[in-house]
Amino acid sequence: MKLLCIGRNYTEHIKELGNQVPEDIVFFLKPDTALTRGGEDFYFPDFSSEVHYECELVVKIDKVGKCIPIEYAKDYYSQVGLGIDYTLRDVQSKYKAKGLPWTLAKGFDYSAPVSEFTDLKQLQKDIQDIHFTLVKNGVEVQNGHTACMIHTVDEIISYISRFITLKTGDLIFTGTPQGVGAIQKGDVLEAFLEGKSVLKQEIK
Ligand code: MG
């Protein structure tokens, strides 16, 4: 399985990092070794001094698909969860400035904790009507709603599948809303999907 991650999908987050709104959907990959299934703590890596959290809605792909038309994209998923796209902002900035790939900043081991998945039917929600928040040390730092995505989940699935075949079990991180920030050892992050706690990590 693979982890596909969308960059720059919420306008206010693009502004907070001083980035430009991209013409096309921007995506990158994390290796499967980045994935953890929640419940584990996050160990601050010794190859960075500035690690940011990015809380994101994660969509699980249910079946193999290639060149999926937007109108059929809904047939390829039924469950969502929340994940944190941990990012080495210092490493990313260094490579971005040189125009080099920033795989290390995003793809290091354990950089993608993901919650258990919930059926959209059970949530009784359209995928573009989902509210999620991230709380750091008891204070809400990110408050996102999927209606604010620049590119919808169906557009993302259709776009990516033109180039890369989607397979059962693949996970798509759909971009982060505003409020990203640095973590320190001792911090506790907790993510809420529609008000329900689904993911909690201590930074060690
Ligand atoms: Mg992200």
Side-chain angles (χ1 to χ4, degrees), residues 23-104:
E23 281 180 31
D24 292 321
I25 294 172
V26 171
F27 68 96
F28 57 91
L29 290 154
K30 290 188 188 235
D32 58 2
T33 44
L35 179 66
T36 63
R37 297 315 304 261
E40 309 91 345
D41 294 322
F42 178 84
Y43 288 85
F44 201 103
D46 60 7
F47 39 86
S48 173
S49 55
E50 188 186 12
V51 181
H52 276 200
Y53 55 79
E54 296 186 359
C55 185
E56 312 194 4
L57 186 86
V58 179
V59 179
K60 187 201 254 182
I61 296 298
D62 284 344
K63 60 177 179 177
V64 176
K66 173 78 179 158
C67 295
I68 301 165
I70 291 176
E71 57 269 35
Y72 294 121
K74 280 199 178 341
D75 298 340
Y76 289 81
Y77 61 86
S78 59
Q79 295 183 306
V80 295
L82 292 181
I84 299 175
D85 167 20
Y86 282 114
T87 303
L88 311 180
R89 199 68 75 197
D90 51 352
V91 174
Q92 185 187 37
S93 299
K94 187 176 78 177
Y95 287 126
K96 265 169 76 176
K98 293 178 182 171
L100 294 169
W102 26 274
T103 306
L104 169 60

Side-chain angles (χ1 to χ4, degrees), residues 10 57 80-82 118 120 123-132 144-149 192-194:
Y10 288 84
L57 186 86
V80 295
L82 292 181
T118 306
L120 283 163
L123 277 179
Q124 297 185 304
K125 283 280 183 180
D126 184 88
I127 200 158
Q128 299 305 146
D129 183 26
I130 292 177
H131 181 234
F132 61 99
H145 194 280
T146 56
C148 299
M149 286 181 181
F192 294 83
L193 179 67
E194 288 292 333

Side-chain angles (χ1 to χ4, degrees), residues 115-179:
S115 71
E116 293 296 316
F117 284 85
T118 306
D119 279 333
L120 283 163
K121 274 187 190 155
Q122 194 184 324
L123 277 179
Q124 297 185 304
K125 283 280 183 180
D126 184 88
I127 200 158
Q128 299 305 146
D129 183 26
I130 292 177
H131 181 234
F132 61 99
T133 57
L134 184 72
V135 171
K136 183 176 112 171
N137 304 332
V139 178
E140 185 179 287
V141 287
Q142 288 195 279
N143 187 328
H145 194 280
T146 56
C148 299
M149 286 181 181
I150 296 171
H151 302 287
T152 66
V153 170
D154 292 355
E155 288 168 355
I156 290 166
I157 286 173
S158 178
Y159 183 79
I160 292 177
S161 71
R162 283 170 58 194
F163 315 106
I164 297 176
T165 300
L166 296 177
K167 296 176 86 172
T168 306
D170 286 351
L171 302 180
I172 301 179
F173 279 65
T174 57
T176 196
Q178 69 191 100

